[in-house]
């Protein structure tokens, strides 16, 4: 892998500058800044990390360290529909993995790949969502889908696929 | 009520021990001669408490890490109880479980702290299985090898890179069992803003960060009959190499080194202190010119390749202020390939210049394209102090049977000013000795500029030469350089001359030197050794070196002449690694 050189458009740069300004370029605000960037891009692109680290007077290695430490941050692009399958203990014993595998199969995702090529869907497991009574739980963007099965998931995905086609 | 004064004592293994300003229990325990095992504790870096090897048992408080615990009156400590031993052993087993244990082929074999401790704690059998797949080894750059399969995550390298050099090239990334200590985005060191100072390797307890070995290249050259092999020995090496032969730090063994290297098969043994004298002629003349015209001040020294690379990356507004003089290593190489080749009547490709340096960045300096002519490098091979020890050992030369020998001429003649180049402040002091006499035309009676000496990261003083006040800043470590430059940029500080050396204490603390990260006193001893060597010399001013005078008379003309410029000066380029200009 080669170090990320400048690859930001001026529009993206001004967006990043806006975020940095909002948080006063403060090192103690790094996590909030990264959260905002992730909201804009749906992930943390390397060039954005490099940009904010230089502007904040931090080393890219340190910022990369923070970005890879927290599981809330992703260094890979996420889909427009971000699917989170809870794999906490309760969801796991009530069959979250079959649901997860069914989603991957339906979206055509194999191996380590988590995002569809059209960037519409991404899927990953997360630790406890805090809704164990509704296990197994799936979250798609901000919406919670309780007591999921492979079949129910298939219907939900069909609905989403119809949107904005 | 009478207040009873609490005695500042603790009990170590039943023995009452007084403490004063030690910053942790570990130092108090070490004070009474008990060795506490540790990987992450480095007295010159911040406390970290990662490796858990320094644990002790404290009555009423259980097992505690002694490196992060301040001494409190009345503590009762056991340093070697059954519980302590058990905890240390389990920690070792866990560290070893994922460690690449191919010790025989490891650069740090025999001085690896993990290997030594495993042996001391008699670990024969590992209960835990290796989980991680083998990670790729990064040996892309000329100076350092990073092998994360040997990393124990003590974080010493990260602290060195951040606290000493202000760079933070390395950081922890990922989490839990996937944690690695690496440059940003998993890049290789040559693709990020590493300056190859090697201070990370100097504090690494294992072979995770090590010096790239070029020992075999030297043997190849020696065994090639068409090659004439010469060495230049840098000032700081002579007062440190002895440590590897159990000679006390600071003892000058240059004569023994000359004898040993000749037994190894080196044809001529020269001294970088000679080209340091030449550096003073060139850089000193440059300084006098700039002072006269009041231009491009402050002048920054350019002897330290880690500093030069850092300036190229981070301080491009000052690149014009860097002295254009090459470093002593490169001046030596350029002169050897010109003057010596003519004298020996050989082609430059058949003269192999080996430099013996305290420094890992010198390896990267030697391969800079501007230091090659027609595909032939000015300096062909760079060995660090650690590697020259291996070279001597590998050739089967036993130094205890050797008598001191003289250096070869003409590049083996040097002044005391050239020798002190190896310590922080030495370059500035050497320059002042010459500048004073050249500017005033008078003899400088007291050649010692005490204000320039010492291990402090910043030394500031003013020297009056003929009514002109010259303001100097002597800096070691790049973190300090950044702080000073920030002040200059803000208009809060003003200097005429700034000497920068990247390693703590200057070249004596270079990463190529024998490992000294556990002992605070070694650097001071090495420094004292250099100033002692200087004081012993009749010749203490660079411009009085007869061989330097002859060199100018016969080959170069005047300092800063056209020929001198061609051979002995260089240019710098901006290296914007993290290019994010708007």
């Amino acid at each position: 892998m080669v170090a990320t050189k400048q690859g930001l458009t001026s529009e993206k740069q001004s967006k990043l500058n806006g975020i940095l300004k909002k948080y006063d370029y403060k090192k103690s605000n790094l996590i909030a800044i990264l959260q905002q960037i992730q909201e804009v891009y749906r992930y943390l692109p390397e060039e954005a990390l490099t940009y904010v680290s230089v502007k904040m007077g931090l080393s890219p290695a340190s910022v990369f360290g923070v970005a890879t430490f927290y599981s809330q941050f992703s260094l890979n692009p996420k889909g427009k529909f971000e699917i989170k399958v809870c794999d906490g203990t309760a969801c796991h014993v009530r069959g979250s993995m079959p649901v997860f595998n069914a989603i991957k199969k339906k979206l055509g995702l194999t191996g380590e790949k988590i995002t569809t090529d059209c960037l519409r869907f991404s899927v990953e497991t997360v630790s406890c969502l805090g809704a164990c009574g509704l296990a197994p739980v799936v979250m798609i963007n901000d919406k919670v889908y309780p007591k999921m099965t492979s079949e129910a998931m298939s219907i939900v995905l069909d609905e989403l696929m119809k949107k904005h086609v | 009520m009478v207040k009873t004064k609490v005695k500042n004592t603790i009990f170590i293994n039943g023995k009452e021990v007084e403490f004063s300003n030690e910053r942790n229990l570990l130092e108090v325990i070490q004070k009474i001669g008990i060795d506490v095992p540790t990987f992450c504790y480095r007295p010159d870096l911040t406390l970290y408490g990662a490796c858990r090897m320094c644990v002790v048992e404290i009555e009423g408080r259980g097992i505690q890490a002694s490196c992060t615990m301040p001494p409190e009156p009345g503590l009762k400590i056991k340093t070697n109880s059954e519980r302590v031993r058990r905890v240390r052993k389990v920690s070792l087993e866990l560290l070893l479980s994922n460690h690449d244990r191919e010790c025989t082929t490891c650069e740090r074999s025999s001085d690896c702290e993990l290997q030594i401790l495993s042996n001391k704690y008699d670990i024969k059998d590992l209960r835990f299985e290796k989980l991680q797949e083998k990670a790729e080894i990064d040996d892309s750059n000329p100076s350092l090898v990073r092998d994360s399969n040997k990393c124990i995550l003590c974080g010493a390298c990260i602290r060195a890179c951040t606290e000493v050099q202000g760079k933070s090239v390395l950081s922890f990334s990922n989490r839990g069992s996937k944690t690695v200590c690496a440059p940003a985005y998993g890049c290789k060191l040559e693709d990020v803003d590493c300056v190859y100072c090697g201070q990370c390797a100097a504090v690494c307890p294992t072979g995770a960060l090590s010096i790239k070995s070029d020992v075999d290249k030297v043997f190849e050259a020696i065994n090639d009959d068409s090659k004439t092999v010469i060495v230049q020995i840098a000032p700081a090496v002579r007062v440190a190499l002895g440590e590897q032969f159990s000679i006390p730090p600071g003892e000058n063994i240059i004569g023994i080194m000359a004898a040993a290297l000749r037994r190894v098969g080196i044809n001529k043994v020269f001294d970088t202190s000679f080209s340091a004298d030449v550096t003073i002629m060139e850089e000193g003349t440059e300084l006098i010119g700039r002072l006269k015209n009041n231009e491009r001040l402050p002048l920054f020294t350019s002897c330290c390749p880690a500093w030069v690379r850092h300036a190229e990356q981070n301080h491009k507004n000052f690149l014009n202020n860097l002295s254009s003089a090459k470093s002593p290593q490169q001046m030596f190489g350029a002169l050897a390939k010109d003057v010596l080749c003519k004298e020996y009547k050989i082609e430059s490709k058949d003269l192999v210049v080996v430099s013996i340096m305290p420094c890992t960045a010198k390896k990267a300096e030697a391969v800079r394209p501007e230091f090659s002519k027609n595909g032939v490098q000015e300096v062909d091979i760079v060995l660090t102090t650690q590697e020259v020890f291996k070279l001597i050992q590998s050739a089967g030369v036993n130094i205890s049977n050797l008598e001191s020998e003289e250096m070869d001429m003409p590049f083996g003649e040097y002044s005391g000013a050239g020798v002190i180049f190896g310590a922080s402040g030495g370059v500035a002091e050497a320059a002042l000795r010459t500048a004073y006499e050249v500017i005033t035309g008078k003899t400088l009676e007291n050649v010692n500029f005490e204000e320039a000496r010492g291990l402090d990261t910043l030394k500031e003083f003013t020297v009056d030469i003929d009514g002109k006040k010259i303001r100097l800043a002597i800096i070691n470590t790049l973190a300090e350089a950044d702080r000073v430059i920030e002040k200059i940029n803000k208009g809060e500080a003003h200097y005429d001359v700034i000497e920068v050396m990247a390693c703590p204490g200057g070249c004596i603390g270079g990463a190529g030197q024998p490992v000294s990260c556990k002992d605070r006193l070694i650097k001071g001893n090495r420094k004292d050794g250099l100033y002692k060597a200087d004081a012993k010399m009749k010749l203490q001013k660079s411009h009085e070196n007869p061989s330097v005078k002859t060199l100018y008379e016969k080959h170069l003309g005047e300092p800063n002449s056209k020929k001198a410029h061609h051979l002995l000066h260089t240019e710098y380029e901006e290296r914007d690694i993290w290019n994010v200009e708007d």
Side-chain angles (χ1 to χ4, degrees), chain B residues 199-211:
Chain B
Q199 285 302 317
C200 52
V203 296
C204 181
T206 70
L209 280 153
S210 60
I211 300 168

PDB file of all heavy atoms in Angstrom, chain B residues 199-211:
ATOM      1  N   GLN B 199      15.676   5.695  16.197  1.00  0.00           N
ATOM      2  CA  GLN B 199      15.476   5.727  17.642  1.00  0.00           C
ATOM      3  C   GLN B 199      14.430   4.699  18.081  1.00  0.00           C
ATOM      4  O   GLN B 199      14.435   4.243  19.222  1.00  0.00           O
ATOM      5  CB  GLN B 199      15.097   7.136  18.124  1.00  0.00           C
ATOM      6  CG  GLN B 199      16.272   8.114  18.140  1.00  0.00           C
ATOM      7  CD  GLN B 199      17.426   7.659  19.013  1.00  0.00           C
ATOM      8  OE1 GLN B 199      17.242   7.173  20.117  1.00  0.00           O
ATOM      9  NE2 GLN B 199      18.644   7.776  18.511  1.00  0.00           N
ATOM     10  N   CYS B 200      13.541   4.304  17.172  1.00  0.00           N
ATOM     11  CA  CYS B 200      12.579   3.237  17.465  1.00  0.00           C
ATOM     12  C   CYS B 200      13.309   1.916  17.685  1.00  0.00           C
ATOM     13  O   CYS B 200      13.035   1.189  18.646  1.00  0.00           O
ATOM     14  CB  CYS B 200      11.572   3.104  16.324  1.00  0.00           C
ATOM     15  SG  CYS B 200      12.321   2.932  14.685  1.00  0.00           S
ATOM     16  N   ALA B 201      14.269   1.639  16.801  1.00  0.00           N
ATOM     17  CA  ALA B 201      15.031   0.392  16.927  1.00  0.00           C
ATOM     18  C   ALA B 201      15.920   0.431  18.161  1.00  0.00           C
ATOM     19  O   ALA B 201      16.175  -0.603  18.792  1.00  0.00           O
ATOM     20  CB  ALA B 201      15.873   0.166  15.676  1.00  0.00           C
ATOM     21  N   ALA B 202      16.369   1.634  18.528  1.00  0.00           N
ATOM     22  CA  ALA B 202      17.269   1.763  19.680  1.00  0.00           C
ATOM     23  C   ALA B 202      16.577   1.413  20.993  1.00  0.00           C
ATOM     24  O   ALA B 202      17.241   1.102  21.978  1.00  0.00           O
ATOM     25  CB  ALA B 202      17.834   3.180  19.748  1.00  0.00           C
ATOM     26  N   VAL B 203      15.255   1.489  21.029  1.00  0.00           N
ATOM     27  CA  VAL B 203      14.537   1.160  22.268  1.00  0.00           C
ATOM     28  C   VAL B 203      13.753  -0.147  22.166  1.00  0.00           C
ATOM     29  O   VAL B 203      13.122  -0.576  23.134  1.00  0.00           O
ATOM     30  CB  VAL B 203      13.575   2.298  22.693  1.00  0.00           C
ATOM     31  CG1 VAL B 203      14.357   3.560  23.037  1.00  0.00           C
ATOM     32  CG2 VAL B 203      12.540   2.584  21.618  1.00  0.00           C
ATOM     33  N   CYS B 204      13.781  -0.792  20.992  1.00  0.00           N
ATOM     34  CA  CYS B 204      13.012  -2.028  20.804  1.00  0.00           C
ATOM     35  C   CYS B 204      13.651  -3.164  21.594  1.00  0.00           C
ATOM     36  O   CYS B 204      14.841  -3.415  21.459  1.00  0.00           O
ATOM     37  CB  CYS B 204      12.951  -2.382  19.317  1.00  0.00           C
ATOM     38  SG  CYS B 204      12.003  -3.877  18.985  1.00  0.00           S
ATOM     39  N   PRO B 205      12.863  -3.857  22.425  1.00  0.00           N
ATOM     40  CA  PRO B 205      13.453  -4.935  23.228  1.00  0.00           C
ATOM     41  C   PRO B 205      13.709  -6.209  22.419  1.00  0.00           C
ATOM     42  O   PRO B 205      14.442  -7.086  22.858  1.00  0.00           O
ATOM     43  CB  PRO B 205      12.398  -5.191  24.307  1.00  0.00           C
ATOM     44  CG  PRO B 205      11.114  -4.733  23.714  1.00  0.00           C
ATOM     45  CD  PRO B 205      11.445  -3.623  22.763  1.00  0.00           C
ATOM     46  N   THR B 206      13.081  -6.323  21.249  1.00  0.00           N
ATOM     47  CA  THR B 206      13.220  -7.541  20.444  1.00  0.00           C
ATOM     48  C   THR B 206      13.727  -7.181  19.044  1.00  0.00           C
ATOM     49  O   THR B 206      14.213  -6.083  18.828  1.00  0.00           O
ATOM     50  CB  THR B 206      11.855  -8.249  20.295  1.00  0.00           C
ATOM     51  OG1 THR B 206      11.030  -7.451  19.446  1.00  0.00           O
ATOM     52  CG2 THR B 206      11.169  -8.435  21.631  1.00  0.00           C
ATOM     53  N   GLY B 207      13.559  -8.081  18.118  1.00  0.00           N
ATOM     54  CA  GLY B 207      13.990  -7.821  16.749  1.00  0.00           C
ATOM     55  C   GLY B 207      12.879  -7.259  15.878  1.00  0.00           C
ATOM     56  O   GLY B 207      12.943  -7.335  14.657  1.00  0.00           O
ATOM     57  N   ALA B 208      11.849  -6.664  16.499  1.00  0.00           N
ATOM     58  CA  ALA B 208      10.734  -6.139  15.707  1.00  0.00           C
ATOM     59  C   ALA B 208      11.167  -4.938  14.877  1.00  0.00           C
ATOM     60  O   ALA B 208      10.677  -4.725  13.777  1.00  0.00           O
ATOM     61  CB  ALA B 208       9.572  -5.758  16.617  1.00  0.00           C
ATOM     62  N   LEU B 209      12.056  -4.137  15.420  1.00  0.00           N
ATOM     63  CA  LEU B 209      12.647  -3.041  14.662  1.00  0.00           C
ATOM     64  C   LEU B 209      14.151  -3.198  14.781  1.00  0.00           C
ATOM     65  O   LEU B 209      14.691  -3.158  15.888  1.00  0.00           O
ATOM     66  CB  LEU B 209      12.192  -1.691  15.216  1.00  0.00           C
ATOM     67  CG  LEU B 209      10.802  -1.261  14.751  1.00  0.00           C
ATOM     68  CD1 LEU B 209      10.151  -0.348  15.763  1.00  0.00           C
ATOM     69  CD2 LEU B 209      10.871  -0.608  13.385  1.00  0.00           C
ATOM     70  N   SER B 210      14.808  -3.393  13.669  1.00  0.00           N
ATOM     71  CA  SER B 210      16.245  -3.630  13.749  1.00  0.00           C
ATOM     72  C   SER B 210      16.968  -2.917  12.619  1.00  0.00           C
ATOM     73  O   SER B 210      16.360  -2.409  11.681  1.00  0.00           O
ATOM     74  CB  SER B 210      16.536  -5.133  13.708  1.00  0.00           C
ATOM     75  OG  SER B 210      16.038  -5.667  12.504  1.00  0.00           O
ATOM     76  N   ILE B 211      18.287  -2.892  12.747  1.00  0.00           N
ATOM     77  CA  ILE B 211      19.118  -2.203  11.761  1.00  0.00           C
ATOM     78  C   ILE B 211      19.342  -3.146  10.588  1.00  0.00           C
ATOM     79  O   ILE B 211      19.612  -4.331  10.778  1.00  0.00           O
ATOM     80  CB  ILE B 211      20.476  -1.827  12.388  1.00  0.00           C
ATOM     81  CG1 ILE B 211      20.254  -0.906  13.597  1.00  0.00           C
ATOM     82  CG2 ILE B 211      21.391  -1.187  11.369  1.00  0.00           C
ATOM     83  CD1 ILE B 211      21.489  -0.704  14.450  1.00  0.00           C
TER      84      ILE B 211
END
